[in-house]
Amino acid sequence: MAGFSEQIKGCIFNLDGVIVDTAKHHYTAWKRLANQLGFDFSIEQHEELRGLSRLASLEKILEWGNVYMTEAEKLHWSDVKNNWYVELISNLKPSDVLPGALLFLRQVREAGLQMALSSASRSARSVLRSTHLEPYFDVIIDGYSTRKVKPDPESFLLAAQGLGLRPAECVVFEDAPLGVWAGVAGGFTVVGIGQPEYLPKAHLVIPGFENLTFNNLLAQLSGTTVA
Ligand code: G6P
């Protein structure tokens, strides 16, 4: 698409599973909780939780385990899971950044584009701090900033608004099907991170940032029919 590269002025990144591999820690903590409640759940089921808020994730897990809880109990167990998760991520280091991600962020910065983070996690800032990535983001939207969960595009729209850009001027990077839907619904160009069969709505799917240059990504996107 002619002029696509000039049209793009910002990049919005999801965090868990896109920049840092924290999804495995969420899984460990949720599995521990399920086991304490007397059932198990698989890593495949956990895939469905990517992008969901803490409470929405718990509700889905309780549904799988056929467990009823009052609202107060849900709050209690969400806190228990979060304490385990926070403990698991307490030792995150810059080396936990996913392969190629740091180099890619640097290239976007050098190209003069703005960058935002859009995550449903309330621990997003702490993860960015431990991995030394906080200075890369002009705007950070986390689990405290939003009221609606993906596939509602609220989180991306707030990020674009914070950057002072229109959705058509931003590329969103997402690993979760729900997040990809949210980005497309918001009018963004969406790059899915993962396997194409799980992310059919994305404008382009890449396995990760390893060996990817920003210019190469723009070239690939220019060949797709986007916004
Ligand atoms: C991200 C993750 C989810 C997680 C959610 C809330 O979207 O993909 O797995 O449940 O954030 O995270 P939090 O750290 O606030 O519980």
Side-chain angles (χ1 to χ4, degrees), residues 14-24 26 50 98 174-176 193-194 207-209:
N14 178 234
L15 178 67
D16 296 315
V18 172
I19 296 180
V20 184
D21 186 15
T22 39
K24 62 183 179 201
H26 278 295
R50 281 181 189 253
L98 283 165
E174 252 293 352
D175 67 317
I193 312 282
F209 292 111

Side-chain angles (χ1 to χ4, degrees), residues 14 16 23 26 30 46 49-54 57 81-82 85 119-124 143 150 175-176:
N14 178 234
D16 296 315
H26 278 295
W30 282 129
H46 184 254
L49 305 181
R50 281 181 189 253
L52 281 185
S53 70
R54 197 179 307 163
S57 302
K81 180 267 173 182
N82 189 52
Y85 174 69
S119 169
S121 175
R122 294 184 174 184
S123 290
K150 296 167 185 175
D175 67 317

Side-chain angles (χ1 to χ4, degrees), residues 204-222:
L204 173 74
V205 180
I206 57 172
F209 292 111
E210 207 169 15
N211 302 322
L212 180 79
T213 66
F214 182 56
N215 283 339
N216 179 262
L217 180 91
L218 286 179
Q220 290 188 61
L221 281 173
S222 299

